[in-house]
Amino acid sequence: MKMETDVNRFRKIVRGKIKDNLKRFISSGELIGRQGNKQVSIPLPRIDLPRFEFGGNQQRGVGQGDGEPGDAINQGQPQPGEGEAGQNPGEHSMEVDVSLDELAGILGEELGLPRIEDKGKKNITQKKYKYQGVLRNGPESLRNFKRTYKEALKRQISVGDYTDDKPVIIPIKEDKRYRSFRIEEKPEASAAIIYMMDVSGSMGDEQKEIVRLTSFWLNAWLKHNYDNLDTRFIIHDAIAREVDEHTFYHTKESGGTLISSAYKLCEKIIMESYPIAEWNIYLFHFSDGDNWSGNDTNECMNLLDNFLLPSSNLFSYGQVESRYGSGQFLKDLEKHYGEQNEKVIIHQIKDRDGIMNALRSFLGKGK
Amino acid sequence: MVMDPRLTSELTPELKDIVSEIESHARNLGLDFFPTIFEMVDYQQMSEIAAYGGFPTRYPHWRFGMEYERIAKSYEYGLSLIYEMVINNDPCYAYLLRSNSIVDQKTVIAHVYGHCDFFKNNYCFSHTNRKMLDEMANHGSRVRRYIEEVGHDEVESFIDICLSLENLIDQHGPHIRREYKPKDKDNYDESLVSPDKLPVPKLPSLRGYMEGYINPDSYVKEQQAKVILEKEKEKKFPESSIRDVLKFLLDFAPLNSWQRDVLSIVREEAYYFAPQGQTKIMNEGWAVYWHSKILTQLVLKDSEVIDYCDHYAGVVQMSGQRLNPYKLGVEMMRHIEKRWNKGQFGLEYTLCDDPQVRRNWNKNTNKGMEKLFEIRKYHNDITFLDEFLDEDFCEDAQLFTWVQDRRSGQAIIHDRDFKTIKRDLLDSMTNFGQPIIDVVDGNYRNRGELLLRHKHQGKDLKIDWAVETLKNIFKIWNRPVNIATIIESEGKVIHYDGAEPRIEKGINIESY
């Protein structure tokens, strides 16, 4: 109980540190590699209080063991016993585990993102039973056997009713303990993200890395907002196909680009899997802006106008700058939708440093 | 005393028997300790207690939370395991880990009695508060009260400041009476502002026109300058430098009452923990010496010997770059015991320079045990190593000095020269391997600035941290603060007055 307070105070400081370093984390990809099941392990400079201390130009010390002068010392195993201050001052860092959800919260605060408004079943809530604590009264079905047993054991020992020879425990009424619960009403909301990416030759590794980083944070934020999140991946050049996440980020094709192929597949996926009334649907399309022909671009606008926009919360187009791309598609979209469209967000991501702004513009409408 | 409702867990009857058996062995062998209370805890509780430095009732602060997460994580990753904790208190408190095997419990119990004997008898601990458990709880409730009164953030950030100055105490303070009389630093002397009017003793001149010849202006000015210098000296405050910077701040910094109390709490706890740092090698060596003696000679069953040895090897294993205090300590103890048993001491032995003769020296004096008890009473790590770390030991224990290779960053063995090893070792331990800093002037430049001095002993301060620390002192002193030090062989003063920190040319620190 007491430690919990101190740990929470510490975590608060850690949150601040993460915020300070968020830009670095967002653009470096360091965190994605450190992602465990639901936790991300974050390397932070150790949070030390400053002191008057020696600055070591060169470190030295005394050790014990075999070896000739000039031999490297093998780093020994840490010994049992209390840890002691090492002889090595200098740059310490520490690893802090943070849940993805908390990280998303920090991202939201830092970017000033509004909470997402659920366009789906706004008024539908789901009851959840949350068990908490222990009561002395309750229905038998909720009896907590372990606690009851412990209470009985305690009582019998204290009145001298228990010996090792006769290990019989008989709970009486006052020993009985029951689980207590509370009903929580949680909004039930589901969302699907469909990522589309141009994998034609002009999208290089760096461009794909930017897409990967951007979508990692998009995912984190949307997961923070919805109970249930589905992600689907579409890659396309002249034809589109649905792939798994790994393939999505690691495919390189050559050849032409028909963006409409991806939008068509996207339409199909929505029709098959996500009833519009129940799902919040997010569409993200990344490309370097080259499309095969103006005809295909027109086809894309048709698909957007007639199906994709009406059925989704948001359509975001991220144009990743590449040396080869003409960037025409962005101009076409802007011409068609103007800069202020409720459901269409168009953003150019110049390099890694641009990711933060991209996130802000994709998510800033709270859709 | 119930410190935490979860900690009331008693020992099993089996362990109770073991405790009383080992206790009586320890007493029969001459160990002398306060009553010792063992508590059984699980790993999580042990980690909590360890995070609080052994005191679960301590004041709240985020740093304990950080320490807890560090311990818990290194346990999760299987990097380290805390086997035991002992608290220097009367009675001593010791925590046993529930998951330990019986052999481990026996080892730990015997080990604990070694520590308890050391706490009670070593002179470094003679001034420590033996009711520290109560005192810490007291501190805890006072701090919690301030938190309620002025707010958590406010109190916590003030504790941050105090902790950053935690090491500015006088290690030897508890053993030496150093009196200083604070002068009234607000005493404003007008004559220092207009020295022209300062009356000085003059020779009598009967006639007015002679005055200029008898007491020429240059003479008067000279006399005035002398008086001013005297007055300056008198105004100097403190009169001589003060190592206990925290005490000086407590006495003279413009703090309000809760801040003063928090600072005094931090200072008191720093003094309480200081002897443990001063005697780490001896204390662990002593405990290992006794647990291995008691266990192997009196307690272990045949079936337990292997497990015991396995654990023992873990405790004294070498850890490369870092000296293992358990290993170094116990090997030193055994070395001394052997020498004094064989009479390898005294003038004759010291003067003997034939290694063959020295090695075979045996006068059957059998004074080893007596010597060890004497040492555990009168030494700290520095005096212990200074006096007993000899060439033979250095060689047997395979000590070496290492340096970090500039290119690879790898630590490599530098040499095995006895003199360098000893010098480096003692160097690294002086003042806990921390810079020596004292207050030399509380009214620097006659403007109420604080001037600290770093007694430079060959190693520069870490400048960025020194600046950050100065900023913290500024928050307490409320007037500009300075520290005189040497940076790259040049005398410098780091100055901080709330704006940008500045590094200025050095002052003549000798005049202070």
Side-chain angles (χ1 to χ4, degrees):
Chain A
M1 192 43 214
K2 190 169 172 295
M3 184 47 85
E4 215 175 288
T5 320
D6 287 343
V7 167
N8 286 339
R9 300 292 297 183
F10 168 61
R11 300 233 115 202
K12 205 176 131 198
I13 295 171
V14 167
R15 255 181 95 89
K17 287 262 165 187
I18 294 176
K19 249 185 171 175
D20 294 345
N21 289 293
L22 197 63
K23 190 163 181 196
R24 180 166 68 82
F25 292 141
I26 283 181
S27 56
S28 78
E30 200 173 359
L31 293 192
I32 303 181
R34 295 167 161 273
Q35 183 191 355
N37 197 7
K38 280 184 179 148
Q39 302 266 309
V40 184
S41 158
I42 296 186
L44 283 177
R46 225 177 79 175
I47 301 164
D48 274 329
L49 295 161
R51 284 162 185 253
F52 288 122
E53 223 177 54
F54 294 123
N57 318 352
Q58 202 192 11
Q59 303 206 11
R60 51 188 298 143
V62 176
Q64 192 172 12
D66 298 323
E68 295 295 316
D71 289 357
I73 308 170
N74 26 343
Q75 307 286 338
Q77 303 262 316
Q79 69 225 21
E82 312 158 60
E84 34 155 359
Q87 285 177 312
N88 313 330
E91 301 311 311
H92 304 285
S93 73
M94 59 174 199
E95 303 247 312
V96 192
D97 287 340
V98 180
S99 70
L100 267 176
D101 195 50
E102 197 179 352
L103 204 55
I106 296 171
L107 176 81
E109 276 171 38
E110 190 56 19
L111 293 179
L113 300 180
R115 290 291 301 199
I116 287 177
E117 276 176 45
D118 181 16
K119 68 133 201 195
K121 305 182 285 179
K122 250 178 217 147
N123 304 314
I124 298 178
T125 51
Q126 189 193 31
K127 286 195 175 97
K128 278 194 175 175
Y129 296 94
K130 193 168 177 175
Y131 289 100
Q132 49 156 37
V134 173
L135 292 177
R136 282 167 173 269
N137 300 302
E140 283 305 300
S141 57
L142 286 181
R143 193 160 93 211
N144 184 331
F145 288 95
K146 204 166 163 185
R147 295 288 282 264
T148 303
Y149 169 80
K150 272 190 182 166
E151 290 303 321
L153 181 63
K154 265 198 261 178
R155 178 181 47 81
Q156 282 185 227
I157 289 173
S158 64
V159 300
D161 237 7
Y162 175 87
T163 56
D164 289 342
D165 307 333
K166 194 173 75 78
V168 180
I169 308 293
I170 302 162
I172 59 173
K173 178 148 194 327
E174 66 204 44
D175 297 329
K176 291 187 179 169
R177 295 291 181 274
Y178 303 88
R179 294 200 287 173
S180 75
F181 64 91
R182 163 169 68 121
I183 298 172
E184 272 191 349
E185 302 220 327
K186 282 200 84 176
E188 188 195 49
S190 306
I193 311 180
I194 301 172
Y195 288 109
M196 292 166 275
M197 179 160 63
D198 175 7
V199 290
S200 64
S202 54
M203 286 284 283
D205 288 342
E206 179 62 17
Q207 282 73 27
K208 276 189 212 142
E209 184 63 16
I210 289 172
V211 174
R212 190 164 83 108
L213 292 169
T214 311
S215 51
F216 173 81
W217 292 100
L218 289 170
N219 269 351
W221 177 249
L222 292 171
K223 262 187 201 151
H224 182 65
N225 282 274
Y226 293 103
D227 296 343
N228 185 10
L229 185 71
D230 257 17
T231 41
R232 307 284 284 261
F233 299 92
I234 295 172
I235 53 176
H236 72 91
D237 43 21
I239 46 164
R241 61 195 165 107
E242 188 179 0
V243 293
D244 61 26
E245 187 167 359
H246 181 84
T247 318
F248 185 72
Y249 294 118
H250 294 90
T251 307
K252 195 174 177 88
E253 309 275 350
S254 55
T257 310
L258 284 175
I259 295 177
S260 66
S261 65
Y263 291 4
K264 274 182 201 145
L265 180 56
C266 184
E267 178 176 356
K268 186 167 162 258
I269 291 175
I270 294 173
M271 300 267 260
E272 279 170 3
S273 316
Y274 303 106
I276 297 162
E278 288 163 34
W279 287 80
N280 294 280
I281 297 168
Y282 292 86
L283 309 176
F284 289 95
H285 178 215
F286 298 97
S287 119
D288 59 4
D290 271 344
N291 203 9
W292 184 251
S293 67
N295 274 347
D296 191 69
T297 300
N298 289 338
E299 173 76 17
C300 287
M301 306 297 173
N302 280 338
L303 285 160
L304 282 169
D305 287 337
N306 295 331
F307 183 80
L308 294 179
L309 291 182
S311 59
S312 65
N313 291 35
L314 204 60
F315 169 81
S316 298
Y317 173 70
Q319 185 156 295
V320 192
E321 211 164 87
S322 85
R323 278 198 303 175
Y324 310 104
S326 64
Q328 185 55 42
F329 194 63
L330 180 129
K331 293 172 201 157
D332 294 339
L333 278 174
E334 274 177 353
K335 203 166 120 203
H336 192 82
Y337 291 107
E339 284 181 13
Q340 298 288 328
N341 187 296
E342 266 303 290
K343 279 193 173 175
V344 181
I345 292 171
I346 304 160
H347 193 91
Q348 190 157 17
I349 312 171
K350 198 164 168 236
D351 51 22
R352 286 179 185 231
D353 286 343
I355 295 176
M356 204 137 151
N357 277 332
L359 292 172
R360 194 177 282 130
S361 88
F362 289 155
L363 299 170
K365 285 192 175 161
K367 291 274 175 182
Chain B
M1 189 182 67
V2 179
M3 293 183 299
D4 180 325
R6 289 170 303 166
L7 298 181
T8 50
S9 43
E10 284 206 12
L11 303 191
T12 59
E14 184 191 14
L15 273 174
K16 275 186 187 162
D17 292 345
I18 291 173
V19 165
S20 65
E21 185 198 345
I22 293 178
E23 181 183 351
S24 70
H25 289 318
R27 289 208 191 274
N28 291 339
L29 288 166
L31 295 185
D32 162 35
F33 38 81
F34 297 124
T36 302
I37 296 167
F38 287 90
E39 307 253 20
M40 186 70 106
V41 296
D42 61 29
Y43 197 78
Q44 195 198 334
Q45 293 166 329
M46 185 72 103
S47 306
E48 284 194 30
I49 297 166
Y52 284 115
F55 293 90
T57 52
R58 257 177 124 171
Y59 61 81
H61 190 259
W62 60 264
R63 155 188 67 140
F64 303 127
M66 171 167 79
E67 190 56 17
Y68 176 74
E69 294 226 334
R70 189 186 67 76
I71 294 172
K73 184 163 282 185
S74 87
Y75 173 64
E76 263 171 48
Y77 292 168
L79 290 174
S80 74
L81 180 63
I82 301 166
Y83 274 95
E84 43 103 4
M85 286 273 346
V86 204
I87 300 180
N88 164 30
N89 194 72
D90 180 9
C92 279
Y93 271 82
Y95 302 98
L96 299 179
L97 194 55
R98 198 182 300 276
S99 56
N100 277 352
S101 69
I102 284 292
V103 187
D104 283 349
Q105 302 292 20
K106 288 177 177 176
T107 311
V108 168
I109 292 163
H111 190 90
V112 162
Y113 282 119
H115 281 312
C116 296
D117 168 83
F118 198 89
F119 288 147
K120 186 176 173 189
N121 294 288
N122 182 271
Y123 86 97
C124 293
F125 292 89
S126 56
H127 293 272
T128 52
N129 185 348
R130 307 290 191 182
K131 294 290 172 202
M132 202 56 186
L133 263 171
D134 301 344
E135 189 61 36
M136 288 274 192
N138 231 323
H139 292 170
S141 58
R142 267 146 68 194
V143 171
R144 267 186 283 275
R145 206 179 63 223
Y146 301 138
I147 286 174
E148 271 172 34
E149 282 166 16
V150 298
H152 209 147
D153 292 342
E154 176 105 12
V155 174
E156 194 170 66
S157 34
F158 188 73
I159 295 176
D160 287 355
I161 295 174
C162 296
L163 288 175
S164 112
L165 313 177
E166 193 184 31
N167 58 343
L168 301 178
I169 59 171
D170 186 350
Q171 300 290 330
H172 307 289
H175 305 283
I176 306 170
R177 276 262 148 280
R178 287 182 208 184
E179 292 292 345
Y180 63 95
K181 281 179 294 194
K183 296 218 174 123
D184 185 358
K185 72 182 173 100
D186 298 323
N187 185 7
Y188 176 72
D189 190 342
E190 201 176 346
S191 64
L192 290 177
V193 181
S194 45
D196 296 349
K197 297 183 184 112
L198 197 67
V200 290
K202 292 178 184 174
L203 292 172
S205 57
L206 296 174
R207 291 179 176 76
Y209 66 89
M210 295 289 280
E211 174 71 16
Y213 298 97
I214 295 175
N215 292 311
D217 270 0
S218 59
Y219 169 78
V220 173
K221 285 234 164 71
E222 202 177 296
Q223 292 304 307
Q224 280 173 334
K226 260 191 200 161
V227 173
I228 288 168
L229 199 68
E230 275 313 300
K231 290 211 177 195
E232 288 272 12
K233 267 193 189 150
E234 234 169 74
K235 268 191 81 91
K236 205 173 107 47
F237 137 87
E239 276 175 1
S240 55
S241 63
I242 291 174
R243 273 288 287 286
D244 192 338
V245 181
L246 288 187
K247 175 80 165 66
F248 185 83
L249 293 174
L250 270 178
D251 286 347
F252 301 110
L255 296 169
N256 60 36
S257 64
W258 72 262
Q259 290 172 323
R260 202 175 298 281
D261 193 32
V262 167
L263 182 57
S264 80
I265 286 170
V266 169
R267 176 172 171 271
E268 195 184 328
E269 296 190 2
Y271 272 114
Y272 171 81
F273 285 113
Q276 307 196 9
Q278 286 170 307
T279 57
K280 177 87 180 161
I281 294 172
M282 285 185 74
N283 200 346
E284 291 304 351
W286 186 247
V288 173
Y289 177 90
W290 285 102
H291 88 230
S292 68
K293 192 177 194 92
I294 293 173
L295 258 74
T296 53
Q297 294 179 5
L298 298 162
V299 173
L300 286 181
K301 296 180 201 147
D302 291 349
S303 61
E304 294 173 333
V305 171
I306 303 276
D307 281 341
Y308 167 78
C309 289
D310 184 41
H311 181 161
Y312 184 83
V315 170
V316 299
Q317 77 183 341
M318 295 191 270
S319 53
Q321 216 165 324
R322 206 165 58 177
L323 273 183
N324 177 344
Y326 295 79
K327 180 176 165 68
L328 182 65
V330 73
E331 284 175 356
M332 285 279 289
M333 297 277 173
R334 296 213 175 108
H335 176 69
I336 293 162
E337 185 184 23
K338 193 189 76 193
R339 277 181 59 196
W340 260 261
N341 275 340
K342 293 182 171 178
Q344 296 176 344
F345 56 91
L347 190 61
E348 202 188 335
Y349 175 77
T350 316
L351 290 179
C352 170
D353 48 14
D354 181 344
Q356 201 58 34
V357 180
R358 280 173 75 100
R359 290 253 163 198
N360 297 325
W361 195 284
N362 191 352
K363 294 202 170 343
N364 282 319
T365 34
N366 280 326
K367 284 184 180 293
M369 191 52 75
E370 191 188 319
K371 188 68 187 172
L372 287 185
F373 273 99
E374 180 194 312
I375 288 168
R376 81 93 153 78
K377 199 171 179 71
Y378 297 112
H379 281 276
N380 62 39
D381 281 350
I382 293 182
T383 60
F384 176 64
L385 292 171
D386 191 25
E387 190 155 341
F388 300 105
L389 185 75
D390 57 30
E391 209 160 349
D392 292 341
F393 177 81
C394 240
E395 201 175 304
D396 291 347
Q398 297 183 297
L399 296 185
F400 57 76
T401 56
W402 57 264
V403 291
Q404 195 172 23
D405 187 61
R406 279 176 201 280
R407 267 166 303 168
S408 64
Q410 253 283 15
I412 52 171
I413 297 177
H414 185 245
D415 66 18
R416 290 184 181 275
D417 175 54
F418 167 61
K419 286 205 175 101
T420 352
I421 290 170
K422 189 155 172 174
R423 192 200 60 211
D424 277 13
L425 196 54
L426 290 175
D427 250 22
S428 71
M429 295 170 65
T430 304
N431 200 39
F432 294 151
Q434 288 172 14
I436 296 175
I437 280 156
D438 46 19
V439 179
V440 289
D441 200 343
N443 186 26
Y444 180 48
R445 300 199 257 225
N446 201 21
R447 291 198 294 221
E449 295 188 13
L450 183 67
L451 175 65
L452 302 176
R453 167 184 52 185
H454 165 219
K455 284 193 177 164
H456 196 275
Q457 292 166 316
K459 276 190 259 181
D460 285 8
L461 290 180
K462 195 173 167 205
I463 303 299
D464 50 345
W465 274 48
V467 169
E468 291 307 307
T469 315
L470 271 191
K471 287 181 182 170
N472 280 340
I473 301 180
F474 175 79
K475 286 181 199 149
I476 289 186
W477 189 250
N478 243 337
R479 294 277 309 143
V481 289
N482 307 270
I483 184 166
T485 181
I486 294 174
I487 301 171
E488 289 167 357
S489 311
E490 231 179 286
K492 294 272 160 102
V493 174
I494 311 176
H495 172 87
Y496 181 74
D497 57 10
E500 273 299 292
R502 285 198 307 272
I503 297 182
E504 298 168 350
K505 206 160 64 69
I507 44 167
N508 182 10
I509 202 77
E510 301 310 321
S511 65
Y512 281 89

